[in-house]
Amino acid sequence: MEVPGSSKKMIATQEEMVEAKVPIPYRDQCAHLLIPLNKCRQAELYLPWKCENERHIYEKCEYELVMERMLQMQKIREEEAKLKNAQTSKGAPIPLIPKTAS
């Protein structure tokens, strides 16, 4: 499944996420990595030094998603700034004191 505005594809299906009881806020493009991580955590009784490899892979995926969203937002802000600058320079207000008067 394709997610608009993202370079990553959804690998885990809705059925897989429901079956694995993935919470709704975590059902993103990295959910396919969260499913084996949660299974490992349950098998290892949530010991923090276990499942480090799975956790690292999942957190890297989430980090990449956040960075991608930040870059998209930066581009949107730059485009808005360009539009704002173009509008202010095109329709510049008339100054109250003419330049010739000073």
Side-chain angles (χ1 to χ4, degrees), residues 15-75:
E15 293 80 26
E16 290 173 339
M17 291 185 279
V18 169
E19 182 182 320
K21 298 179 182 173
V22 176
I24 292 175
Y26 295 96
R27 294 182 186 183
D28 57 3
Q29 291 91 338
C30 299
H32 68 284
L33 299 170
L34 182 61
I35 294 170
L37 173 61
N38 284 341
K39 286 180 182 177
C40 178
R41 285 174 170 168
Q42 289 173 355
E44 299 295 338
L45 303 173
Y46 290 88
L47 294 172
W49 58 88
K50 303 284 184 172
C51 312
E52 287 181 347
N53 189 38
E54 291 89 347
R55 192 184 86 224
H56 175 72
I57 294 169
Y58 172 72
E59 288 177 351
K60 182 180 179 200
C61 180
E62 286 291 336
Y63 173 78
E64 290 170 353
L65 282 178
V66 168
M67 294 306 291
E68 186 177 332
R69 286 194 301 263
M70 286 176 56
L71 288 174
Q72 288 175 349
M73 193 64 210
Q74 182 179 0
K75 288 178 185 177

Side-chain angles (χ1 to χ4, degrees), residues 74-84:
Q74 182 179 0
K75 288 178 185 177
I76 291 170
R77 286 186 180 135
E78 288 173 357
E79 290 173 4
E80 288 176 351
K82 286 180 185 177
L83 278 171
K84 186 176 180 182

